[in-house]
Amino acid sequence: MITLLGKGGKVRSVPLMKQTVNLISAYFAENRIDTHLHSDMPLFWNAHGQKLTRSGVTYILRKYVEMAQEISPEMPANITPHKLRHTKAMHLVQANVNPVYIKDFLGHADISTTEIYARADNEAKRAALEKASKHLGLPAVSNWKQDAELIDWLSSLG
């Protein structure tokens, strides 16, 4: 578990997966970081040895997106740190993680902010169903109330 200071000075605790702990430990070893001697040192720093800022993260991400686009031109250009955050939230929703946990993970003050992701996921599901149904060759929607044969059949069900 780590404690983060987020936007607006909000403090939140975030659990870390074992793989993440192992990666951070390897990072400390590779960069010879002794957390006991340098407890105030930022986890990631810029070229000046200062805390890596949001704009610094954005710069690094853009640099690697551009490199990826050279290899794969279909790579979207508009990848941002916020899109990564949004994608993680959507993955949690799709994995049926309790919205309260997602709220805490994202640092939202109100669950209604987190529910936006669930609504977006439902919209994505609806769009996927519509797209899939186009390939089924289903007949156009008709006025079923005018279909006497259908009404008789439905009535026969009970």
Side-chain angles (χ1 to χ4, degrees):
M1 183 83 65
I2 61 168
T3 302
L4 301 174
L5 180 63
K7 188 167 70 172
K10 288 190 272 185
V11 176
R12 69 179 186 267
S13 294
V14 178
L16 295 177
M17 296 184 306
K18 288 180 183 175
Q19 298 106 320
T20 305
V21 171
N22 292 339
L23 286 169
I24 291 172
S25 295
Y27 172 80
F28 285 157
E30 182 179 325
N31 290 284
R32 297 184 186 98
I33 300 171
D34 185 344
T35 56
H36 299 295
L37 293 175
H38 305 286
S39 62
D40 61 339
M41 184 177 184
L43 180 58
F44 301 107
W45 58 90
N46 61 22
H48 305 290
Q50 298 170 332
K51 178 177 92 170
L52 190 58
T53 63
R54 284 185 189 164
S55 61
V57 171
T58 301
Y59 171 81
I60 292 168
L61 185 58
R62 278 192 191 138
K63 181 173 83 172
Y64 285 103
V65 166
E66 288 171 8
M67 289 169 62
Q69 286 176 317
E70 290 176 12
I71 297 167
S72 179
E74 61 271 0
M75 173 78 166
N78 60 347
I79 297 175
T80 64
H82 193 291
K83 284 217 175 170
L84 297 178
R85 174 182 163 87
H86 176 78
T87 300
K88 180 62 177 181
M90 291 302 293
H91 288 162
L92 292 170
V93 167
Q94 291 162 352
N96 294 319
V97 172
N98 186 324
V100 173
Y101 299 147
I102 300 171
K103 171 192 157 300
D104 291 344
F105 180 78
L106 295 173
H108 290 160
D110 192 292
I111 192 79
S112 64
T113 307
T114 310
E115 289 169 347
I116 292 167
Y117 293 102
R119 284 192 294 277
D121 188 50
N122 286 334
E123 177 59 25
K125 288 175 186 175
R126 185 197 59 73
L129 286 172
E130 284 184 5
K131 184 177 179 183
S133 69
K134 287 180 185 176
H135 301 290
L136 298 176
L138 298 173
V141 176
S142 64
N143 186 351
W144 61 271
K145 292 179 183 179
Q146 303 295 323
D147 189 336
E149 187 178 331
L150 178 61
I151 297 295
D152 289 342
W153 180 79
L154 290 171
S155 297
S156 74
L157 296 176

